[in-house]
Amino acid sequence: MTEFDFFKKQRMNGLDEQLYVYKYIKLKYLIPLIENKKLRIDKVSEWDDPYENFFLKSNFYTYASFYKKNIQVHTDDIRNRTYGQSWTMKEESDAMWRIYSNNDDIKNINKDDIKSINEDDIKNIAVRIRIKIDNLFNIVYTSDECMATTSIGRINYMTDDEITNWMQGLGNINSEFPKYAEQSLFIKRMPFAHEEEVRIIISKDTETPAEEFLLYDIPDLNVIEDFTLDPRLEEKGEKKIIQKLEDIGVDSHKITKSSLYKFTPVDLKI
């Protein structure tokens, strides 16, 4: 094992590199990913849950002997240079389809004639993509300079009390600040446990310019092994999205439709 491989393994936090992770992603975001062969990682500060970044949102103080009082220490620079992306170990989930696909747009697509389906409606429909953890991490973990800043791992789901206890049990925050900041981003509240989330976290040095988002090359799109369509789509919408995916170069053999709502009655004698 090379030094590079050794450190990369450490940053995978015990994840089995041969397991699959999934991403439910709106078509409007999937299209540029495929066309440009780029994986976009956004700032964690843009995540919706107000409890995200709970550690970096805390009020930090340090004692200033000159002023003989505590003064506040701001962490905005660190939060502004921390990026993340969520994936899931959950292959199939009614909740995930409903979160990422707009239900009204599904209804519009299903009722319209295939030639009159609105392109904006199409782009708000989610597609589930599948990739091996090792192939995903290889995209973002590309150089020695990322060794100490790029990691991937499962989310640890905790109750509010458990999160508070974790915070109160921290040791010397000053010397261990980067470690605690990263660990906190792999903690989430228990009501979100159904997501079975896996996260990529990338922390940039505060000496480097902050970027609105990060872009990583995807050298080989074949690492995305499957494109699964929303199970609520009827034939017209299904054909339209398949055509859209094929137009941007997706192999038709990789495109399937979720069978979540497929029902086969059982033959019973009475």
Side-chain angles (χ1 to χ4, degrees), residues 211-225:
E211 302 169 78
E212 287 304 305
F213 53 85
L214 305 177
L215 284 176
Y216 291 89
D217 291 329
I218 307 175
D220 184 3
L221 286 171
N222 286 321
V223 295
I224 303 176
E225 298 184 23

Side-chain angles (χ1 to χ4, degrees), residues 108-124:
N108 290 337
I109 291 170
N110 285 341
K111 74 180 181 181
D112 289 341
D113 179 82
I114 191 169
K115 293 182 180 179
S116 62
I117 290 176
N118 190 299
E119 287 295 315
D120 289 334
D121 292 344
I122 285 286
K123 290 182 179 180
N124 282 319

Side-chain angles (χ1 to χ4, degrees), residues 98-226:
R98 294 182 185 276
I99 290 169
Y100 288 97
S101 267
N102 186 294
N103 191 57
D104 289 336
D105 291 338
I106 288 277
K107 291 178 179 178
N108 290 337
I109 291 170
N110 285 341
K111 74 180 181 181
D112 289 341
D113 179 82
I114 191 169
K115 293 182 180 179
S116 62
I117 290 176
N118 190 299
E119 287 295 315
D120 289 334
D121 292 344
I122 285 286
K123 290 182 179 180
N124 282 319
I125 306 303
V127 174
R128 187 188 71 216
I129 58 176
R130 181 182 71 178
I131 186 172
K132 279 187 178 178
I133 288 173
D134 189 49
N135 289 331
L136 173 62
F137 199 45
N138 280 339
I139 293 171
V140 295
Y141 194 89
T142 54
S143 64
D144 290 348
E145 67 184 18
C146 294
M147 282 184 180
T149 61
T150 305
S151 58
I152 188 170
R154 289 179 185 262
I155 292 298
N156 183 16
Y157 296 97
M158 296 182 177
T159 64
D160 289 1
D161 287 343
E162 287 172 336
I163 292 174
T164 299
N165 290 338
W166 180 82
M167 295 272 282
Q168 292 175 342
L170 297 179
N172 187 333
I173 292 179
N174 185 48
S175 64
E176 300 285 359
F177 191 94
K179 181 180 78 172
Y180 294 144
E182 181 181 281
Q183 286 180 357
S184 71
L185 290 168
F186 288 103
I187 296 173
K188 202 167 181 177
R189 291 180 294 166
M190 195 62 75
F192 296 90
H194 68 278
E195 295 175 349
E196 296 183 24
E197 189 175 344
V198 168
R199 277 185 183 171
I200 295 168
I201 297 296
I202 301 167
S203 300
K204 290 287 188 178
D205 194 298
T206 54
E207 299 300 316
T208 61
E211 302 169 78
E212 287 304 305
F213 53 85
L214 305 177
L215 284 176
Y216 291 89
D217 291 329
I218 307 175
D220 184 3
L221 286 171
N222 286 321
V223 295
I224 303 176
E225 298 184 23
D226 181 76

